[in-house]
Amino acid sequence: MHGRRHRLTLASLGALAALLTVPAVAPAASKPPPAGGAAIGQVIVATAGGLVGTLVLFALVFGHRSGRIPIFARLAALSERVSGIRGWAALPGAFLLGSLTVAVFGMYWDISIHIDNGRDPGPLANPAHYFILVGLFGVLFAGVMAIALPLDGAGRAEVTLPNRWRSPVGALIITACGAFSLIAFPLDDIWHRIFGQDVTLWGPTHLMLIGGAGLSVLGAWTLHVEGLGGKLTRHAEGLPGWTRHREYAMGGAFLIGLSTFQAEFDYAVPQFRLIFHPVLLMLAAGVALVAARVRGGRGAALMAVLSFLVIRAILTVIVGPILGHTTPKFPLYIGAAVAVELIALRFGAEKRPLAFGALAGLGIATLGLAVEWGWTHVFFVNPWPSAFLVEAVVLSLIMAVAAGVLGGFIGRALTPLVERDPAPRWAVPLAALVAFGVLAFSLPMPTPADPIKASITTRQLTGAPKRTIAATIKLNPADAAKDSEWLDVTGWQGDGSVVDRLRKTGPGSYETTKPIPVYGNWKTTLRLQRGRAVLGLPIFFPADPAIPVKRIPAEPQFTRQFVFDKSNLQREQKKGIPGFLTVIAYLVVLAIALALIAAITLGLRRVERTHIGTSGEPPPPAPEPSREGEPKRTAPALRRAPGAHA
């Protein structure tokens, strides 16, 4: 009967993994690539790959639980000897970080490919998709591995599953995040069939994909804490140096995950207001750096940023100069990390992590924001203008403080054996509500009631077949770009991208400074953001029979009206979709996302509470069980540590 339960559980996990990687059935591929779902050939190949991966996962996990395949046990024993952390935590944690590295490389490469070349026929249509699929399947694999590895329990916070497996909390968080990311693939295809392609990073299903991957780092971090019996890495004796540095790597990985939401600004093709750039930077810095400092101690915030910068710099060099695509930029976070470290010297980060997080948020929103402001003028294509200084400072301050409190909560949960002062229960929910409110406040992009037009005169620089032009632009009204966040000509999807910040030549008059492509598959627009309005005016668009839409030529002289920018950038979106259907779709995705966040929050609280206990004191060490077939070697320092467990 017990073996039957195992088989049923593994069959369920296997079926889930297979379903998550299968796109919805699509019509045959067309030329140009379809604008509403994957081609049938892509579906067949992706489905076969998902099934093969699922069968391998099924065989390894079942073989480990039955004792017939010892590979997991041997690798876990090796990981434990090398790291000094329980094998059921060390092995999946290392596997997860490797998988995320593969996935994040695929993500940045994929974004650059889509910016340069446009949409493709399906999930396997460009090489970057393989890295994403393999990396995200690896996240799910790491979670299931961590669930299956412990044969005799997984610590004080363990969760007993219906089949009587005893799983670490971190394993469940990783599995949930992996499933959340992978389910975005079939949902994305369904979304495209209903609403058309949404060629933006911030599409709902795209946010699911990157959000699940980024949050899985919290699962790895939790697993690391459970493998140490709740102890701080820096206080555990006998651990090798690389294990201590893995704490910093997790802080850096968490920062990378939270920073992926800024990618449209990294590539200079934002489809939302520029205010999101500093706000998202404050969110990432406040959550990740405060959590890293509370958990890792002195210097941990700086080390997390160093890890972040090394990885992002490597990605930038590979995607840009080496692979020859649009080069992504990246933030520094150095000012934010210095602010966090300085405040921690004067205010106990461990004793009062929530209050520390709020104070650290103030530092992040001052020194951190100032450094990033200057960095955008040095490194980014769209530097932050003085026009939105007041709004950026106010919203960044509110977001940084709220994010710091959330980071303090995460750091507190990851340091369960530290004695600390009580904190108000309302602080964390209020911080989450405030952070969500800042994002919601920044979202609306109304179109002005009074139309804005531009008269454009073009001058040919190179002839067909690769025609490029220079342009002079006259805005009507002349002050339409006054105090604007950006006014530029953007070209993309023509085997490259161009962003030209225009030169002002007089009142309401501007001229281009770079050759502007108007041929082939290039899509070229004049883009303007002023206040809340994000507007665009087509200069050249090719015909696209898959949508279908007609060609918009770049004539020698023309006058056109600015429209909602999204209608230019996302031509593939279908018209006439009932509003209630859109609302339902967004609410479904939001409900799934909130369920994941709630599950992660409950998991973190469980780890903290089960180690501290109701009295606020660490419980006595649990006896260390052993069982034939499970790794028995444990670092001596960990057996002596308070709260150490099997």
Side-chain angles (χ1 to χ4, degrees), residues 154-161 165-173 222 225-226 230 409-410 412-417 598-614 619 645:
R156 302 189 186 282
E158 67 182 20
V159 177
T160 302
L161 303 179
W165 293 7
R166 294 151 68 184
S167 169
V169 171
L172 297 176
I173 293 176
T222 303
V225 172
E226 292 177 280
F409 162 72
I410 294 172
R412 185 183 71 184
L414 296 176
T415 54
L417 297 184
I600 293 172
T601 302
L602 291 174
L604 291 173
R605 291 179 68 86
R606 180 181 178 89
V607 169
E608 180 184 13
R609 287 176 174 177
T610 53
H611 282 84
I612 294 296
T614 57
H645 54 79

Side-chain angles (χ1 to χ4, degrees), residues 575-644:
K575 307 296 189 295
I577 302 297
F580 76 90
L581 189 60
T582 303
V583 171
I584 291 174
Y586 275 92
L587 288 178
V588 168
V589 173
L590 178 62
I592 297 172
L594 291 177
L596 176 67
I597 293 173
I600 293 172
T601 302
L602 291 174
L604 291 173
R605 291 179 68 86
R606 180 181 178 89
V607 169
E608 180 184 13
R609 287 176 174 177
T610 53
H611 282 84
I612 294 296
T614 57
S615 65
E617 295 293 332
E624 181 180 345
S626 63
R627 174 173 173 171
E628 186 176 356
E630 185 187 22
K632 300 178 182 178
R633 184 180 179 91
T634 304
L638 299 185
R639 288 199 295 266
R640 294 194 300 268

Side-chain angles (χ1 to χ4, degrees), residues 483-544:
D483 296 330
S484 62
E485 278 77 1
W486 68 65
L487 176 66
D488 60 46
V489 171
T490 300
W492 73 101
Q493 296 186 12
D495 195 23
S497 67
V498 174
V499 178
D500 184 15
R501 296 170 58 199
L502 303 179
R503 179 189 299 120
K504 187 172 184 178
T505 58
S509 298
Y510 301 85
E511 63 181 12
T512 56
T513 65
K514 300 177 182 179
I516 305 302
V518 288
Y519 65 89
N521 198 44
W522 280 97
K523 298 177 181 179
T524 306
T525 65
L526 175 63
R527 305 184 67 215
L528 168 67
Q529 193 218 318
R530 177 184 175 186
R532 287 187 171 273
V534 181
L535 307 172
L537 180 154
I539 294 176
F540 173 83
F541 277 163
D544 194 337

Side-chain angles (χ1 to χ4, degrees), residues 179-250:
F180 182 76
S181 284
L182 284 174
I183 201 175
F185 281 96
L187 286 181
D188 190 53
D189 197 64
I190 293 171
W191 191 281
H192 292 167
R193 295 181 192 288
I194 298 174
F195 303 107
Q197 296 273 33
D198 50 345
V199 284
T200 171
L201 182 73
W202 288 5
T205 51
H206 303 160
L207 292 178
M208 288 179 63
L209 190 150
I210 62 176
L215 291 175
S216 69
V217 178
L218 281 180
W221 222 343
T222 303
L223 198 62
H224 181 83
V225 172
E226 292 177 280
L228 282 167
K231 282 186 65 67
L232 296 171
T233 306
R234 61 186 184 275
H235 291 169
E237 300 176 1
L239 292 179
W242 79 270
T243 299
R244 301 180 188 278
H245 286 289
R246 190 161 77 163
E247 289 270 12
Y248 305 139
M250 288 183 184

Side-chain angles (χ1 to χ4, degrees), residues 116 138 162 178 225 327 399 419 425:
D116 292 350
V225 172
T327 302
M399 177 60 85
E419 296 182 14
R425 294 186 176 182

